[in-house]
Amino acid sequence: MTDPQRPNDTGDFVTDARLELSGMLRDGLDHPSTRPVLVWGALGAVAGAALPFVSVGLGLAAGAGYKFYKRVRPD
């Protein structure tokens, strides 16, 4: 069964991630995935600044990467 919220779900992670990223780049903040990914990236950066041995950049990448993955593969 296809999810109406995810019309481009092909079942292949790489293809789905590429389509999601191209949609985010094309639509900017109007895309439904852009804001949550940016928010989680900011939260990761704050956590990275607060934790020892973790940099802000690593925290940002981890937070944004996690949310992007959960947007592509929600289950």
Side-chain angles (χ1 to χ4, degrees):
M1 181 169 145
T2 52
D3 185 358
Q5 298 294 332
R6 307 193 58 73
N8 295 325
D9 190 6
T10 63
D12 178 35
F13 177 75
V14 174
T15 303
D16 292 343
R18 185 180 55 81
L19 290 172
E20 189 75 12
L21 184 59
S22 68
M24 289 171 64
L25 292 172
R26 183 180 57 246
D27 297 340
L29 289 175
D30 292 333
H31 194 275
S33 293
T34 303
R35 286 192 177 127
V37 168
L38 291 176
V39 167
W40 275 76
L43 291 173
V46 169
L51 295 172
F53 304 110
V54 179
S55 68
V56 172
L58 181 62
L60 181 120
Y66 172 76
K67 192 58 177 179
F68 182 74
Y69 176 78
K70 293 308 284 182
R71 294 293 292 187
V72 174
R73 288 288 177 259
D75 295 333

